[in-house]
Amino acid sequence: MPSIIDVQNVSKYYHRGAESIQVLDNISLTIETGQFLALMGPSGSGKSTLLNLIAGLDQADQGRIVVDGLDITRLSETQLANWRAGHVGFIFQFYNLIPVLTALENVELPLMLSRLNRKERREHAQTALALVSLDDRMRHYPRQLSGGQQQRVAIARAIVTDPTLLVADEPTGDLDRNSAEDVLTLLDSLTRDLGKTIVMVTHDPRAARKAHVMKYLEKGLLTDAPQAVVSECV
Amino acid sequence: MGILFFYSFRNLLTRRLTTSLTALGMALVVFVFSAIIMLAEGLQKTLVDTGFYDNVVVIRKSSVSEVQSGIDRDQAAIVTTRPEIAIDTSGKPMIAKELVVLITLQKRNGNGASNVVIRGISESSFELRPQIHLIEGRLPRPGSSEIMVGKSISGAFNNAGYNERLFFGMRHWRVVGVFDAGSTGYSSEIWGDVDQMMPAFRRPVYSSILFRLRDTREFESVKDRIETDPRLTLEAKRETVYYREQSEMMATFLRILGTSLTLIFSIGAVVGAMITMYAAVANRTSEIGVLRALGFSRLTILAAFLMESLFLGLTGGLIGLFFASFMQFITVSTTNFQTFSELAFNFSLTVTIAVQSLSFSLFMGFAGGILPAFRASRMNIIDALRDV
């Protein structure tokens, strides 16, 4: 399989006054097209930071990140925003749906930045909601949906633009066991059936178990997962 | 922009109480703003409507108003011979030599005293003012101590009602008629025969001369002839212009008062809107993060929050204007600073005032929303997404 994401010698620092804290230390990572990668590690290890860099939400201090042949570290803020709109789908731990919009409108939201007309946008959003089996909840507001349903709406929002890459930050972190299982099965089917590349940050061994590849971050260094973590995920 | 429009609008609906209170604050300011401008407009409209375009008012040079003017009989006779004066159906020139005097009358119900205009009129005075209609009684007979009063005076002052007797100018005057001059300044006047009024007030001179032009295009030439005639010390104005000038000082005062008051009030309303919008931004930080992550630009975020604030302003504006529109049913009676006389007029709402009021409310929305919207647009995506 060809690689879709190529992270080359990436370092990232956070600055607190005069103090500079290294969060990522010379990270290199290759992710293949259609791969489902789980990033694990203790809190503060830099997992989310790496995910944000790959998703174009933040800029690396050193190194290059090439996604689908494009070096995103060279893009301006506006170019990055346009790139995200077309190429990245986001799934967050707390779903982050807009409470005043219905499920359909939430899913339609990313398409506002496309060239589709209103009818086409509605059709795309309905298809995405049908894919996550929520076509009967289109007119519901987030508060009228369970946690699992809200996360499925968030997944529909993430895939509606047919992005190259899906990034998920603790997608099961706020869900009960059954809802988490539904969401993981859905993510698994996205890679299996639609060939989507997924990068997921998780603490949950059950979630990691669904991934094709597992990487472990500790103190900003990328390593293979320790045996104890691997055995927990098997 | 459809969804973002609904996003802004529904966010306001979600926070109904805060939205209502902020909008009411703005509504109050818009109410005060539009009411005072309506007052100034009403005053101006009343006085301008008092005039008739083809009528010419002649007064002493530099006298500003009829009250300060004096035209002796010789000069009045010269003006009377002008060929530009129209002739009525009975062959008489349409010209009236009039006297204007201010007297003090007690208001009914013990509301103090106020200056009232007494107008000594000639035979053509009614004909020159077609907007005047008798609503009770009859016209005063020439050569008698009879008067007629405007409807605003009749109900507002002691002994000024129909068939009552008023005392001024060292004699009693019987009210034989009440006239309605619509929403014009004449409704606030008392009229009697000029030849009775002049000796009663010991005035040897007229205050003004009013005549109708036979051809409206002759105004400039007749004005030029009157003002350049070495025997005359008079000036001529179209009646509409004369009355517009009479209203200018007070209307300007009201407008300045209204603008100053509302500017002070608006600071409070803008601060209120700003607090509301800052709270909205703080409560929706993670939403801002999501929108930015999805690819919405800083400018779009700024526009969404600014739109929300403009909605607030517009809502306040519409509420304020709605309540201000009821002021049209109220008649105000006050002293016109320029003529020192009592004048009754209505609040007048025009399209221009409505547009001005709504623009002002939108400006308040903009001023209250721009800084919070700017703050929302400047948020760091990662920090915003962490705010749950």
Side-chain angles (χ1 to χ4, degrees):
Chain A
M1 277 285 199
S3 70
I4 189 165
I5 300 167
D6 196 4
V7 179
Q8 300 166 11
N9 310 108
V10 164
S11 293
K12 176 74 182 171
Y13 300 86
Y14 283 137
H15 304 279
R16 194 175 295 157
E19 195 183 1
S20 181
I21 302 160
Q22 187 166 26
V23 189
L24 295 176
D25 184 3
N26 203 31
I27 301 281
S28 290
L29 171 70
T30 302
I31 303 169
E32 292 174 0
T33 305
Q35 203 170 51
F36 186 175
L37 180 132
L39 270 174
M40 297 192 78
S43 297
S45 58
K47 306 184 295 293
S48 294
T49 303
L50 180 57
L51 190 77
N52 290 338
L53 293 179
I54 291 171
L57 291 175
D58 205 355
Q59 293 278 26
D61 292 313
Q62 284 169 21
R64 275 168 25 111
I65 299 173
V66 180
V67 181
D68 206 12
L70 179 73
D71 183 354
I72 62 168
T73 51
R74 289 175 178 271
L75 299 181
S76 69
E77 187 186 280
T78 310
Q79 288 170 325
L80 261 182
N82 291 336
W83 175 76
R84 283 197 306 271
H87 296 86
V88 188
F90 292 90
I91 304 162
F92 304 100
Q93 180 180 357
F94 298 107
Y95 337 125
N96 289 50
L97 298 176
I98 307 290
V100 295
L101 301 182
T102 63
L104 185 68
E105 288 164 346
N106 264 289
V107 176
E108 197 187 333
L109 201 53
L111 295 174
M112 298 292 297
L113 299 165
S114 70
R115 289 180 181 171
L116 300 177
N117 61 35
R118 188 168 184 269
K119 187 167 172 276
E120 290 167 333
R121 289 201 308 265
R122 285 278 145 129
E123 284 168 4
H124 279 64
Q126 284 166 356
T127 307
L129 278 168
L131 267 174
V132 298
S133 309
L134 279 176
D135 39 352
D136 57 338
R137 295 281 193 273
M138 284 182 202
R139 307 288 168 198
H140 287 60
Y141 286 92
R143 64 176 181 279
Q144 297 167 319
L145 301 170
S146 69
Q149 287 171 330
Q150 286 188 56
Q151 193 60 298
R152 276 153 59 196
V153 173
I155 292 170
R157 181 179 66 186
I159 61 174
V160 74
T161 54
D162 192 21
T164 320
L165 168 69
L166 289 177
V167 293
D169 195 353
E170 301 271 12
T172 57
D174 198 45
L175 297 176
D176 61 57
R177 192 184 179 88
N178 289 338
S179 300
E181 194 56 40
D182 288 346
V183 165
L184 289 169
T185 305
L186 191 55
L187 292 178
D188 188 41
S189 71
L190 291 177
T191 53
R192 199 184 308 278
D193 304 333
L194 302 177
K196 295 290 170 200
T197 306
I198 302 178
V199 182
M200 174 178 70
V201 163
T202 185
H203 281 111
D204 183 358
R206 282 172 301 148
R209 211 177 292 153
K210 294 277 185 187
H212 307 152
V213 181
M214 191 168 58
K215 290 287 178 184
Y216 195 80
L217 261 169
E218 188 158 20
K219 293 178 182 170
L221 291 167
L222 192 67
T223 62
D224 288 329
Q227 196 53 48
V229 176
V230 173
S231 54
E232 206 180 345
C233 296
V234 174
Chain B
M1 285 300 279
I3 285 190
L4 280 177
F5 178 83
F6 281 116
Y7 171 68
S8 301
F9 188 66
R10 284 191 201 154
N11 268 305
L12 284 178
L13 289 183
T14 307
R15 297 173 287 121
R16 281 189 189 87
L17 183 67
T18 328
T19 302
S20 309
L21 290 175
T22 312
L24 279 177
M26 289 185 169
L28 187 67
V29 178
V30 172
F31 176 82
V32 173
F33 176 78
S34 30
I36 297 182
I37 302 294
M38 280 165 69
L39 195 66
E41 182 68 23
L43 169 78
Q44 210 146 31
K45 188 169 180 295
T46 298
L47 284 174
V48 171
D49 284 355
T50 303
F52 192 81
Y53 188 70
D54 284 347
N55 284 356
V56 177
V57 178
V58 180
I59 52 174
R60 196 192 66 211
K61 264 182 187 157
S62 312
S63 55
V64 183
S65 75
E66 288 172 290
V67 177
Q68 298 152 358
S69 168
I71 303 174
D72 62 41
R73 289 176 186 271
D74 294 343
Q75 292 198 33
I78 293 169
V79 174
T80 312
T81 59
R82 292 299 326 159
E84 294 89 351
I85 298 170
I87 305 293
D88 68 11
T89 48
S90 60
K92 285 182 292 183
M94 295 177 75
I95 184 164
K97 292 171 274 187
E98 298 182 343
L99 174 74
V100 172
V101 182
L102 287 177
I103 61 162
T104 305
L105 290 180
Q106 291 294 321
K107 289 188 176 178
R108 290 189 196 271
N109 306 322
N111 284 337
S114 189
N115 284 343
V116 172
V117 171
I118 304 283
R119 185 177 295 273
I121 54 166
S122 303
E123 206 178 336
S124 295
S125 292
F126 298 103
E127 214 176 348
L128 285 164
R129 298 176 176 98
Q131 68 270 50
I132 294 173
H133 306 284
L134 262 182
I135 53 172
E136 204 170 10
R138 58 173 173 80
L139 300 178
R141 280 181 307 219
S144 68
S145 295
E146 292 177 348
I147 52 171
M148 57 192 275
V149 299
K151 67 169 183 180
S152 302
I153 298 291
S154 156
F157 289 90
N158 278 345
N159 304 320
Y162 177 59
N163 255 342
E164 290 186 304
R165 283 158 65 88
L166 265 174
F167 184 80
F168 60 82
M170 304 301 288
R171 62 167 109 155
H172 283 97
W173 303 80
R174 198 158 76 87
V175 181
V176 296
V178 178
F179 63 89
D180 180 7
S183 57
T184 68
Y186 297 128
S187 287
S188 304
E189 292 185 355
I190 296 174
W191 287 14
D193 182 2
V194 68
D195 293 324
Q196 295 300 309
M197 295 286 179
M198 285 174 78
F201 288 104
R202 298 196 181 94
R203 296 284 179 97
V205 294
Y206 298 109
S207 300
S208 64
I209 299 170
L210 182 70
F211 66 84
R212 174 79 48 86
L213 286 169
R214 67 177 175 191
D215 182 345
T216 190
R217 291 167 298 184
E218 287 182 324
F219 172 71
E220 287 304 328
S221 65
V222 75
K223 175 182 167 67
D224 185 56
R225 284 187 183 129
I226 289 174
E227 293 181 359
T228 55
D229 189 325
R231 296 167 296 170
L232 305 176
T233 52
L234 307 175
E235 60 180 327
K237 296 174 183 181
R238 280 195 190 271
E239 201 183 13
T240 46
V241 173
Y242 170 77
Y243 279 107
R244 189 182 308 131
E245 286 173 4
Q246 297 301 295
S247 65
E248 244 165 34
M249 192 168 142
M250 194 160 168
T252 306
F253 169 77
L254 284 172
R255 287 205 171 91
I256 291 171
L257 176 77
T259 311
S260 317
L261 270 180
T262 44
L263 275 179
I264 294 165
F265 288 165
S266 68
I267 293 170
V270 166
V271 169
M274 207 177 275
I275 291 169
T276 303
M277 290 311 298
Y278 268 126
V281 171
N283 288 335
R284 287 173 12 225
T285 302
S286 68
E287 287 175 31
I288 295 165
V290 171
L291 291 171
R292 294 275 289 116
L294 292 179
F296 286 94
S297 66
R298 291 185 191 278
L299 192 65
T300 310
I301 304 294
L302 185 128
F305 277 88
L306 201 54
M307 205 189 303
E308 205 168 310
S309 185
L310 290 173
F311 268 139
L312 256 181
L314 189 64
T315 309
L318 288 170
I319 296 171
L321 201 57
F322 174 74
F323 285 106
S325 68
F326 289 102
M327 298 297 285
Q328 290 177 102
F329 301 112
I330 296 175
T331 301
V332 178
S333 186
T334 188
T335 302
N336 184 357
F337 300 161
Q338 210 147 349
T339 58
F340 307 105
S341 61
E342 185 80 0
L343 181 69
F345 54 97
N346 287 51
F347 288 80
S348 172
L349 179 60
T350 61
V351 175
T352 311
I353 292 176
V355 170
Q356 280 176 340
S357 302
L358 291 179
S359 307
F360 183 59
S361 67
L362 284 173
F363 169 75
M364 285 194 291
F366 178 84
I370 187 70
L371 287 179
F374 193 67
R375 182 180 183 168
S377 73
R378 297 296 304 164
M379 274 183 185
N380 177 283
I381 303 177
I382 310 288
D383 293 341
L385 282 170
R386 280 194 192 126
D387 188 279
V388 177

